[in-house]
Amino acid sequence: MKKIQRKFSKRIYLIALIFALSIFLLGISVGNIFTGYITYKFDDNKDLLEIQLTSLNLKDEIVSSSEEFCKFGVENILKDKYDLGAKISMLEQKKGKNDKEVLIQKEIYQLIEIKTLLLLNNFKEKCKDDKVTILFFYTNDENDPKGSSDQSEYQGYILSNYYRLYPKNYVVFSFDINSRSDAVKTLIDLHDIQYVPITIIGKNRYTDYNDLDRLTELINNRT
Amino acid sequence: MKIYEILIFIAYFISFFISMFYLLTFIYNNKRFKTIKSSKDKIYTVSVLIPAYNKEKELAKTIRSVLNQTYPKDKIEIIVINDGSIDSTEKIARSFKQVNVITKKNGGKAKALNDGIKKAKGELIACLDADTFMTPDLIRKSVTYFYDDDVAVAVPTLKPYKPRNILEKIQVVEYTLSSFTRKILSFKNSSSAAPACSFFRKNIFEKYGGFDEDNITEDFEMALKIQSKDHKLVHLTDAIAYTEVPRNFKSLFRQRLRWCYGNLYNLRKYKKIFGTKYGDFGVVFLPMMLISILLSLSILFFGIIDIIKNIIHRIVLAYKINFSFDFNLFNMDRILFEITNPKTFLAIIIFIMSIIIVYLAKIYTRQSRYQENLNGTNISIFMYLIYAFVYSLILVNIWIIAIFYMIFNKKPSW
């Protein structure tokens, strides 16, 4: 019985390697194209945010002097704000909280929130609407000396859920304490926000984290 | 990018490479899948050794499967080695007048086989587990491979015998895939398996000694020994034996722990075969086997940590809102957005390639479509999905336990 001659099948490995590499790169490229196509809807979000901001400004100008101001309502702009916020939240989960695109979109979104807040306040005043406005200040920075990002996340999640459950009664406006936008900074100064998370319900402000039951209690006993 | 994501990309690339290698080698050697046609008409004497320990339920069927061979009866010697059974194994063996019975104290399968080899008169030795059944033309087909003077060992395809429950049916996928890939590896002299039904030239044992009696996977050890001596080990996809496989998870776990531990132990014992001297076997297959195990374990480890962290995070968030879930979270747009990434596409390609390999394995290792339906060894896509996404993930964990057994010098029991 003869012994076998051991060989190293260079040719077949080389061909397998070329095929493997081609399929691998093709898979990544096709994957990237499809990912790009899917996330395009969300990158496109930036345009939508800018359109929404301009639209809010124009709407304000059109309706504020109108005698039929109350007829226009605010439900649509609140719904749009919620949908845009949900998209940014998804994008944040996919790309990370520190992604440049996400940060830019968040800055524009916060401006929309401020404009919506001003419109809402005007609406409430003129049209006797009793919707509860909740302002929420948070941080995403894990090492922020101004507060805990974990508690901010939990509090934000509870508040979003609150709006989801009772969209007709409550509106939540969330602001990042580290926002670069001058308008947001002004709002932070106006409310003298030093630590986060802070939840402002009506005229009352609540520091630290409040669980769902406590928050419900605070909302029900608001002044 | 997280560590386990990088590992996943490496694993994907290795999977592509291995799959391409299998497919290309299959294409190059397609015609060599069937029995060798030879001008030789030598009829070897075959000694079939059946070590048996408390196998009263299966032994008669095993012996009958040998007696029903289409190979000349006077050229087949059957030796049952009763390894200290306390049931009626010996009585059953002695009830067949064509069977020689060796009775000994219980000492393990390897010792039983060595005792059988000493008594065997055949030029070829077939080692057959007492719960493994030969198809009628198995010996005739297997013997033809020894017409090639280089062949030292011939290993027929092994499939589960009449699988009933889901665990046995999943093992049909596993056994079919193993037989096919081993056949491909044997084209590169890189197969290292000689399981429940294998044929050896007798002079192999005379030259290099018998089975390692202290080894819990003596068949794997023997295959590595033969590879280390540069002899040819071939796999047969046209000769099929059926074997009883574990019916419940507990016995499957014990069997696989023994196999995993045995593989690690024997790879350490034969570490000299890693390297250029052993060609494809030493440079690509053995290292690739170890890398695949380590990579699977690392991905599992880091992946599980990540998944657990994610699940805990989501549970905490759900708890914060008294588990009043936002079902909007599960809308199609969101799901599509979350799963669409290059990793998903690579996984889809690997899945398609694996389906092609399983299909080829199914076609090239079957006795006949009729027999396949009769034995219930047909592979459905459902079984393959469970095999790929559940069974394999569970089994890879057994490697972790086997590694711990190795580290703490503990030997799994039979």
Side-chain angles (χ1 to χ4, degrees), chain B residues 126-145:
Chain B
C127 298
L128 180 69
D129 282 4
D131 54 6
T132 302
F133 320 118
M134 292 177 166
T135 49
D137 53 1
L138 185 130
I139 294 183
R140 184 175 55 79
K141 284 184 174 171
S142 303
V143 160
T144 59
Y145 283 78

Short mmCIF file of all heavy atoms in Angstrom, two decimals, chain B residues 126-145:
data_model
loop_
_atom_site.label_atom_id
_atom_site.label_comp_id
_atom_site.label_asym_id
_atom_site.label_seq_id
_atom_site.Cartn_x
_atom_site.Cartn_y
_atom_site.Cartn_z
N ALA B 126 -14.29 -4.73 8.41
CA ALA B 126 -15.38 -3.74 8.48
C ALA B 126 -15.77 -3.60 9.95
O ALA B 126 -16.12 -4.58 10.59
CB ALA B 126 -16.57 -4.20 7.67
N CYS B 127 -15.65 -2.39 10.48
CA CYS B 127 -16.06 -2.14 11.86
C CYS B 127 -17.48 -1.60 11.82
O CYS B 127 -17.72 -0.54 11.22
CB CYS B 127 -15.13 -1.14 12.54
SG CYS B 127 -13.45 -1.75 12.63
N LEU B 128 -18.38 -2.33 12.42
CA LEU B 128 -19.80 -1.98 12.33
C LEU B 128 -20.40 -1.87 13.73
O LEU B 128 -20.31 -2.82 14.53
CB LEU B 128 -20.53 -3.07 11.52
CG LEU B 128 -22.02 -2.89 11.30
CD1 LEU B 128 -22.30 -1.73 10.37
CD2 LEU B 128 -22.62 -4.18 10.70
N ASP B 129 -20.98 -0.72 14.03
CA ASP B 129 -21.65 -0.57 15.33
C ASP B 129 -22.86 -1.51 15.39
O ASP B 129 -23.50 -1.76 14.36
CB ASP B 129 -22.10 0.88 15.54
CG ASP B 129 -20.94 1.78 15.95
OD1 ASP B 129 -19.78 1.28 16.00
OD2 ASP B 129 -21.16 2.98 16.20
N ALA B 130 -23.16 -1.96 16.60
CA ALA B 130 -24.25 -2.94 16.74
C ALA B 130 -25.63 -2.34 16.48
O ALA B 130 -26.60 -3.07 16.38
CB ALA B 130 -24.19 -3.55 18.14
N ASP B 131 -25.69 -1.02 16.37
CA ASP B 131 -26.99 -0.39 16.06
C ASP B 131 -26.96 0.26 14.68
O ASP B 131 -27.66 1.23 14.41
CB ASP B 131 -27.37 0.63 17.14
CG ASP B 131 -26.28 1.67 17.36
OD1 ASP B 131 -25.28 1.66 16.61
OD2 ASP B 131 -26.44 2.51 18.27
N THR B 132 -26.10 -0.30 13.81
CA THR B 132 -25.97 0.26 12.45
C THR B 132 -26.26 -0.85 11.43
O THR B 132 -25.77 -1.97 11.59
CB THR B 132 -24.56 0.84 12.26
OG1 THR B 132 -24.37 1.83 13.27
CG2 THR B 132 -24.37 1.48 10.91
N PHE B 133 -27.05 -0.52 10.42
CA PHE B 133 -27.52 -1.56 9.50
C PHE B 133 -27.03 -1.27 8.09
O PHE B 133 -27.19 -0.16 7.57
CB PHE B 133 -29.05 -1.60 9.52
CG PHE B 133 -29.62 -1.45 10.90
CD1 PHE B 133 -30.45 -0.37 11.22
CD2 PHE B 133 -29.31 -2.36 11.91
CE1 PHE B 133 -30.94 -0.20 12.50
CE2 PHE B 133 -29.80 -2.20 13.19
CZ PHE B 133 -30.62 -1.12 13.50
N MET B 134 -26.44 -2.31 7.47
CA MET B 134 -25.91 -2.14 6.11
C MET B 134 -27.03 -2.29 5.09
O MET B 134 -27.90 -3.16 5.25
CB MET B 134 -24.87 -3.23 5.82
CG MET B 134 -23.59 -3.11 6.62
SD MET B 134 -22.52 -4.53 6.22
CE MET B 134 -20.97 -4.00 6.91
N THR B 135 -26.99 -1.50 4.03
CA THR B 135 -27.91 -1.75 2.91
C THR B 135 -27.31 -2.92 2.12
O THR B 135 -26.09 -3.17 2.19
CB THR B 135 -28.04 -0.50 2.01
OG1 THR B 135 -26.74 -0.03 1.72
CG2 THR B 135 -28.83 0.59 2.70
N PRO B 136 -28.14 -3.70 1.39
CA PRO B 136 -27.68 -4.99 0.83
C PRO B 136 -26.42 -4.94 -0.04
O PRO B 136 -25.65 -5.90 -0.08
CB PRO B 136 -28.88 -5.45 0.00
CG PRO B 136 -30.05 -4.80 0.66
CD PRO B 136 -29.57 -3.48 1.17
N ASP B 137 -26.18 -3.85 -0.75
CA ASP B 137 -25.01 -3.83 -1.64
C ASP B 137 -23.83 -3.06 -1.04
O ASP B 137 -22.90 -2.71 -1.75
CB ASP B 137 -25.39 -3.24 -3.01
CG ASP B 137 -26.07 -1.88 -2.88
OD1 ASP B 137 -26.21 -1.40 -1.72
OD2 ASP B 137 -26.45 -1.30 -3.91
N LEU B 138 -23.91 -2.80 0.25
CA LEU B 138 -22.87 -1.96 0.87
C LEU B 138 -21.47 -2.59 0.77
O LEU B 138 -20.51 -1.92 0.33
CB LEU B 138 -23.21 -1.67 2.33
CG LEU B 138 -22.23 -0.71 3.00
CD1 LEU B 138 -22.96 0.42 3.72
CD2 LEU B 138 -21.34 -1.41 4.00
N ILE B 139 -21.34 -3.86 1.13
CA ILE B 139 -20.00 -4.47 1.09
C ILE B 139 -19.49 -4.53 -0.36
O ILE B 139 -18.34 -4.19 -0.64
CB ILE B 139 -19.99 -5.86 1.76
CG1 ILE B 139 -20.29 -5.72 3.26
CG2 ILE B 139 -18.65 -6.58 1.53
CD1 ILE B 139 -20.24 -7.00 4.06
N ARG B 140 -20.38 -4.95 -1.27
CA ARG B 140 -19.95 -5.07 -2.67
C ARG B 140 -19.42 -3.73 -3.19
O ARG B 140 -18.35 -3.67 -3.81
CB ARG B 140 -21.15 -5.54 -3.52
CG ARG B 140 -20.84 -5.81 -4.98
CD ARG B 140 -22.03 -6.38 -5.72
NE ARG B 140 -23.22 -5.55 -5.61
CZ ARG B 140 -23.44 -4.45 -6.33
NH1 ARG B 140 -22.54 -4.05 -7.20
NH2 ARG B 140 -24.54 -3.75 -6.18
N LYS B 141 -20.14 -2.66 -2.91
CA LYS B 141 -19.71 -1.35 -3.39
C LYS B 141 -18.45 -0.87 -2.66
O LYS B 141 -17.54 -0.31 -3.27
CB LYS B 141 -20.83 -0.33 -3.21
CG LYS B 141 -21.93 -0.48 -4.25
CD LYS B 141 -22.97 0.60 -4.10
CE LYS B 141 -23.98 0.50 -5.23
NZ LYS B 141 -25.12 1.40 -5.01
N SER B 142 -18.40 -1.10 -1.36
CA SER B 142 -17.26 -0.61 -0.57
C SER B 142 -15.96 -1.28 -1.00
O SER B 142 -14.91 -0.63 -1.10
CB SER B 142 -17.49 -0.85 0.92
OG SER B 142 -18.68 -0.24 1.33
N VAL B 143 -16.05 -2.60 -1.27
CA VAL B 143 -14.85 -3.36 -1.63
C VAL B 143 -14.21 -2.83 -2.92
O VAL B 143 -12.98 -2.79 -3.04
CB VAL B 143 -15.22 -4.87 -1.75
CG1 VAL B 143 -14.20 -5.64 -2.56
CG2 VAL B 143 -15.36 -5.48 -0.36
N THR B 144 -15.05 -2.36 -3.84
CA THR B 144 -14.50 -1.88 -5.12
C THR B 144 -13.51 -0.72 -4.92
O THR B 144 -12.61 -0.52 -5.73
CB THR B 144 -15.61 -1.42 -6.09
OG1 THR B 144 -16.35 -0.37 -5.45
CG2 THR B 144 -16.54 -2.54 -6.47
N TYR B 145 -13.70 0.04 -3.87
CA TYR B 145 -12.79 1.17 -3.62
C TYR B 145 -11.37 0.70 -3.27
O TYR B 145 -10.41 1.44 -3.43
CB TYR B 145 -13.33 2.08 -2.51
CG TYR B 145 -14.46 2.96 -3.00
CD1 TYR B 145 -15.74 2.45 -3.17
CD2 TYR B 145 -14.22 4.29 -3.35
CE1 TYR B 145 -16.77 3.24 -3.65
CE2 TYR B 145 -15.24 5.09 -3.83
CZ TYR B 145 -16.51 4.56 -3.98
OH TYR B 145 -17.52 5.34 -4.47
#
